[in-house]
Amino acid sequence: MFVLTVDQRRSRSREDLVEDAVDVLNSDSARPLLRRFERTAGDEMQAVIADASVAGGIALDLATSNNWSVGIGIGTVDDPLPESTRAGSGQAFERAREAVTAAKTAPGNIAVSGARTEAGHAEAVLQLLVSVARKRSKEAREAGELSDQGLTQQQIAERLGITQQAVSSRLHSGLWHEWRRGQTVALALLEGADR
């Protein structure tokens, strides 16, 4: 089981982002949550997730935005799991708390805590992925997001009004293909850490 505890970065110097993030995350039907995101304290939110790919995907998106410190706790939860995320308890909740604290000073502001060695390996790959994503240019992000939607390089070029070679260059400089492969590895490691 995965618990995500997420803390807004620099919350004292800018507007509260928690309510909007909770609304968006809880309405994403492509990413099923076992227990919905809820504000837990001040500028934090938390959710319970059964699927490694959902937990890892959400964690990557949040950390890449540079607005959040993201802790992923892996382990058991106490049964029965209450309807409210805030009322939950167990290893995964405790580890998520440890992880979000570590994430505040970790590369990419993302950390993983679990009993198996795969948790540490997943953390290293996730931190690398977030660091790469944060360094992408606006143009590389734009081309990569269209590629992630399934568009070919030629279709991306037509949409952006640039050459196919320029699209290829943007994807190359943004390390999009390598990033996707790394994401596959990170999600497999998260799944292995939950066995």
Side-chain angles (χ1 to χ4, degrees):
M1 195 70 58
F2 301 90
V3 173
L4 262 59
T5 300
V6 183
D7 183 44
Q8 183 178 338
R9 298 181 64 219
R10 300 178 300 276
S11 60
R12 292 188 180 131
S13 62
R14 61 182 183 182
E15 75 279 2
D16 185 311
L17 302 175
V18 175
E19 287 308 314
D20 287 342
V22 165
D23 290 343
V24 168
L25 292 164
N26 288 339
S27 64
D28 185 352
S29 61
R31 291 177 162 171
L33 307 172
L34 194 57
R35 292 296 180 266
R36 297 167 56 88
F37 274 93
E38 293 180 4
R39 183 187 294 267
T40 52
D43 54 2
E44 282 188 0
M45 58 183 176
Q46 189 172 60
V48 182
I49 303 168
D51 184 272
S53 63
V54 172
I58 291 171
L60 277 169
D61 287 351
L62 290 170
T64 297
S65 75
N66 213 9
N67 293 322
W68 307 96
S69 294
V70 181
I72 304 172
I74 306 170
T76 59
V77 295
D78 293 342
D79 285 327
L81 190 59
E83 286 303 312
S84 171
T85 303
R86 287 187 302 254
S89 60
Q91 290 176 336
F93 284 93
E94 294 164 12
R95 290 179 177 146
R97 170 63 45 211
E98 294 169 9
V100 77
T101 299
K104 292 175 184 180
T105 57
N109 303 104
I110 190 167
V112 180
S113 179
R116 298 178 58 94
T117 57
E118 288 92 337
H121 299 318
E123 177 182 86
V125 177
L126 289 168
Q127 289 174 348
L128 178 62
L129 291 172
V130 172
S131 296
V132 167
R134 286 182 179 177
K135 291 182 179 183
R136 289 178 175 145
S137 69
K138 178 183 175 234
E139 294 78 15
R141 280 194 308 274
E142 185 177 48
E145 289 167 3
L146 292 171
S147 176
D148 285 348
Q149 294 171 21
L151 276 67
T152 66
Q153 288 189 17
Q154 189 57 46
Q155 291 169 324
I156 295 168
E158 290 169 8
R159 172 107 33 115
L160 298 178
I162 59 177
T163 66
Q164 186 273 327
Q165 291 82 4
V167 171
S168 178
S169 177
R170 290 178 184 191
L171 294 174
H172 179 73
S173 69
L175 299 172
W176 281 95
H177 303 297
E178 297 84 355
W179 196 90
R180 284 189 196 125
R181 292 177 70 194
Q183 182 183 26
T184 300
V185 171
L187 299 180
L189 288 167
L190 284 174
E191 188 173 331
D194 191 36
R195 292 187 184 150

